[in-house]
Amino acid sequence: MPSMTTPPPRHDFGPSVQEQAELREYERFAATQDPVALAAASWFNRRGQLDARQQAAFDAWLAQDAGHARAYAALQDTARAMRTIPADVAARWTTPAAMPAVRARRHWLRALPYAAAAMLALGVGTGGYHWWQQQAIFSASYATQRGQQLAIDLPDGSRLQLDTATRVQVALYRQRREVQLLQGAALFTVQARQGQPFDVVSGPLRVTVVGTQFSVRNTLAHDGQLGVAVQHGHVRVAGARQARVDLAAGQGVTADATGRLSSVASLPPGSVAAWREGRITFDNVPLGQALAEFDRYGDSGLVIRDPAVARLRIGGSFTLQRLDGFAGALPQLLPVTLVQQGKIREIRLAENKSK
């Protein structure tokens, strides 16, 4: 039988009671502090633990405003001063049990905001503080039905435009922003924010941007394809096996379900998220793939049963408002004919009249 002093099992379902208390203390205290000082304390608390991307974000934050560098330097001065404090006193300040002492020191901590932020970063329980950092300040899910499109303005100033049959999950954190594109296609217009990268995750792909306009497509369940296309700015696309490519305006890349990236392709003008204008653009794709794309928006009333017909390649720009216009153009573009069969029309190879 375990002794009475054996701690109960801990399940990672959120912060502990102690961490919640520390978190509440932090939030009350943070409300009295200079936001620049708190940001500096956050960076200072993670010094020596930053990866390459985080280090770049920290450098950008320092360069953004001279006040940022002064705040961070003040923390360094405070930390050096704290090293002169006797060890037994410092131990009382840097444990969760020190929270009553923090409250007792509140009058002079408020008077020294940079020192206060440093003491907070060093003195508050790390479990509650890091849990607080990882909580989303905004989260939402959005979806469109077949044939529907939707525009969404996010609290950070970014904008999402969802295509037909699309599902996304949005989460904005204090130091990063992330959208999960679960299905369909979306155009992202990202508001640049220093120290807050914007990531779009779709299947095995991760697209990282700072400020730009680009589209991401996930139709793995439909045609086994993922795609990224950039209209303005640039993005970095990470695929399988640490493969990465940088895309500039007018470039795109596709990937399969494993995250294997294609070579970078140049995009025809106006082809990025052409669905916003009610159009679909094809660039030498199989007819079967083109027909499947139309069927994402509505019932085309067309079927292909002959694999040879499905392999015929087609290009051009077609309107979504008149799906019958695509059907009417097919015999002019390809050696096919349409055969009415009840409520549907089958696309067949046209007979060779030269025989």
Side-chain angles (χ1 to χ4, degrees):
M1 175 180 297
S3 69
M4 295 301 290
T5 59
T6 301
R10 172 77 181 276
H11 301 286
D12 191 18
F13 296 142
S16 66
V17 173
Q18 178 176 321
E19 289 171 345
Q20 291 181 42
E22 293 169 2
L23 178 61
R24 288 193 294 271
E25 176 68 19
Y26 173 83
E27 289 176 332
R28 286 193 295 269
F29 186 55
T32 71
Q33 298 302 302
D34 184 321
V36 173
L38 287 178
S42 174
W43 287 118
F44 187 83
N45 193 52
R46 294 181 294 151
R47 66 196 186 283
Q49 304 174 15
L50 304 179
D51 58 26
R53 188 179 71 174
Q54 292 169 334
Q55 183 63 47
F58 172 55
D59 293 341
W61 180 81
L62 283 177
Q64 185 180 22
D65 189 289
H68 295 179
R70 287 195 297 270
Y72 193 82
L75 286 177
Q76 293 175 311
D77 292 342
T78 301
R80 283 191 290 269
M82 287 183 66
R83 295 192 189 102
T84 66
I85 298 173
D88 59 332
V89 177
R92 292 198 300 271
W93 282 8
T94 56
T95 62
M99 295 309 296
V102 171
R103 285 191 289 270
R105 294 194 305 274
R106 187 69 51 80
H107 65 286
W108 63 265
L109 285 175
R110 284 177 177 166
L112 297 172
Y114 299 129
M119 295 301 176
L120 182 64
L122 295 171
V124 75
T126 57
Y129 177 75
H130 288 302
W131 182 86
W132 176 82
Q133 286 279 35
Q134 294 304 313
Q135 301 313 296
I137 57 178
F138 173 84
S139 63
S141 298
Y142 303 96
T144 55
Q145 303 301 315
R146 188 185 187 192
Q148 180 188 13
Q149 294 179 355
L150 178 66
I152 303 159
D153 292 316
L154 299 181
D156 70 334
S158 300
R159 183 176 178 84
L160 277 58
Q161 293 174 264
L162 307 187
D163 192 16
T164 179
T166 296
R167 292 188 297 121
V168 299
Q169 293 176 346
V170 179
L172 306 181
Y173 300 89
R174 290 169 178 82
Q175 295 178 341
R176 63 187 177 90
R177 299 167 287 173
E178 183 174 289
V179 175
Q180 295 271 351
L181 175 65
L182 306 176
Q183 172 186 305
L187 181 75
F188 299 84
T189 304
V190 177
Q191 178 67 43
R193 289 199 169 189
Q194 290 287 350
Q196 290 187 348
F198 193 110
D199 289 347
V200 179
V201 179
S202 190
L205 296 187
R206 177 178 289 272
V207 184
T208 301
V209 302
V210 175
T212 190
Q213 188 176 59
F214 64 102
S215 69
V216 179
R217 174 188 175 99
N218 181 343
T219 51
L220 287 173
H222 196 69
D223 57 16
Q225 290 291 313
L226 291 158
V228 180
V230 180
Q231 182 157 317
H232 302 298
H234 67 275
V235 304
R236 173 164 292 174
V237 182
R241 299 181 182 87
Q242 298 183 333
R244 295 183 180 182
V245 296
D246 289 325
L247 301 180
Q251 293 182 323
V253 69
T254 60
D256 59 20
T258 69
R260 182 174 56 187
L261 300 175
S262 71
S263 57
V264 176
S266 296
L267 305 174
S271 64
V272 177
W275 44 264
R276 291 176 299 154
E277 309 298 330
R279 303 191 68 80
I280 297 181
T281 300
F282 303 118
D283 183 16
N284 193 33
V285 303
L287 179 58
Q289 180 180 330
L291 183 57
E293 180 67 6
F294 270 106
D295 283 335
R296 292 183 60 236
Y297 294 87
D299 188 1
S300 67
L302 301 172
V303 296
I304 299 175
R305 296 192 174 96
D306 185 347
V309 174
R311 288 193 296 269
L312 294 173
R313 305 191 78 83
I314 188 171
S317 182
F318 303 90
T319 179
L320 286 169
Q321 279 68 42
R322 292 190 56 198
L323 297 180
D324 57 340
F326 172 70
L330 284 177
Q332 310 300 319
L333 301 172
L334 299 172
V336 298
T337 186
L338 304 181
V339 178
Q340 192 74 38
Q341 295 179 338
K343 294 183 179 180
I344 64 172
R345 287 177 290 177
E346 181 183 357
I347 307 174
R348 296 180 180 177
L349 286 173
E351 296 183 2
N352 191 341
K353 297 182 180 180
S354 63
K355 292 183 178 180

